[in-house]
Amino acid sequence: FLSQLTISQVKMNDSGEYLCLAENSAGQAKKTLLLTVQDVPSKITHMEVLDYTSRAANLSWTPPYDGQSPITSYNIRYKPYQGSWRGQAAGKEQVYGSVTEAVLNGLQPNTIYSIKIEASNMVGVGEPSE
């Protein structure tokens, strides 16, 4: 005998305990199941430059909501303010685990940069910061 619970268009607030109760003339049985809905991490909303020189910048950020799956890495992309995200001057760094700081090296003097950070977990990659 098979019982099945289907939740269509699952949402984060569908996480929780579910009780399955079967009852007939022979008696009853019950089983409690724990459902954890996971998602990609949310967008990083707070990032700051802690220190900088003409060729490097030390960044820090507040970890976002992890989507019920631990953050495994952060992808940091940077480019000259007027440049393309795909151009030769664009750079990329990655830090792993719970590290929330990074140093961007090889920057050009007298150049303003745009920086985006994305958090990743086992589900996927979250939206980039703005």
Side-chain angles (χ1 to χ4, degrees), residues 12 14 21 27 49 57 81 96 104 107-108 111:
M12 292 302 289
D14 290 326
L21 177 63
V49 177
Y81 182 72
Y96 297 94
L104 305 181
L107 303 179
Q108 297 300 310
T111 304

Side-chain angles (χ1 to χ4, degrees), residues 11 13 28-29 33 39 43 55 58 68 70 95 97 105 119-120:
K11 297 182 218 52
N13 63 1
Q28 73 174 26
L33 302 169
D39 200 358
K43 184 187 300 188
R55 297 202 177 266
N58 186 9
Q68 298 286 358
V95 295
N105 288 304
S120 298

